[in-house]
Amino acid sequence: MIRRVKVLFISSGMCCLLQSYVVHADPVDTTVVKMLSVPSAMKQLESDGYYDFRMIKIERKHNEIAVKARNRVGDSVELEMDLYSGIILHEKTHGEEIQ
């Protein structure tokens, strides 16, 4: 009878130990952020006044979309756009960077 009590005590101790690990486990982020598709990125850039897209390159390593296009005034520009938010991070015109 004493052995059964000891086994029961160890089992309940293990349950408490496992529960403490579950409570203090790293949280899992369940929000999923979708990256922009090329057509949606082009639509967004067109609404900002860019046109005549020459190159669109997705750079997943840097979470960016690189684009060569023309701005509202017709200057040739190189853009770096955030892959997830669509924010234009950098704009280069004739070798000069505009932020």
Side-chain angles (χ1 to χ4, degrees), residues 71-88:
N71 62 11
R72 292 177 194 244
V73 238
D75 294 332
S76 180
V77 294
E78 294 181 23
L79 305 168
E80 292 178 2
M81 180 182 217
D82 185 80
L83 185 59
Y84 296 97
S85 68
I87 296 171
I88 296 175

Side-chain angles (χ1 to χ4, degrees), residues 49-52 69-77 91 93-94:
Y50 297 97
Y51 64 97
D52 192 23
R70 296 197 178 271
N71 62 11
R72 292 177 194 244
V73 238
D75 294 332
S76 180
V77 294
E91 178 179 342
T93 306
H94 300 291

Side-chain angles (χ1 to χ4, degrees), residues 14-60:
M14 290 300 288
C15 288
C16 293
L17 183 62
L18 289 175
Q19 286 176 349
S20 69
Y21 280 122
V22 171
V23 171
H24 299 293
D26 290 335
V28 176
D29 188 11
T30 57
T31 60
V32 177
V33 180
K34 294 183 180 182
M35 66 180 193
L36 290 174
S37 65
V38 171
S40 64
M42 288 178 64
K43 285 180 185 178
Q44 183 174 343
L45 289 171
E46 284 176 342
S47 69
D48 290 340
Y50 297 97
Y51 64 97
D52 192 23
F53 301 107
R54 299 293 173 142
M55 179 204 69
I56 297 177
K57 180 179 174 185
I58 296 177
E59 297 179 1
R60 291 186 182 169

Side-chain angles (χ1 to χ4, degrees), residues 5 10 64 67 80:
V5 172
I10 291 171
E64 294 176 353
V67 180
E80 292 178 2

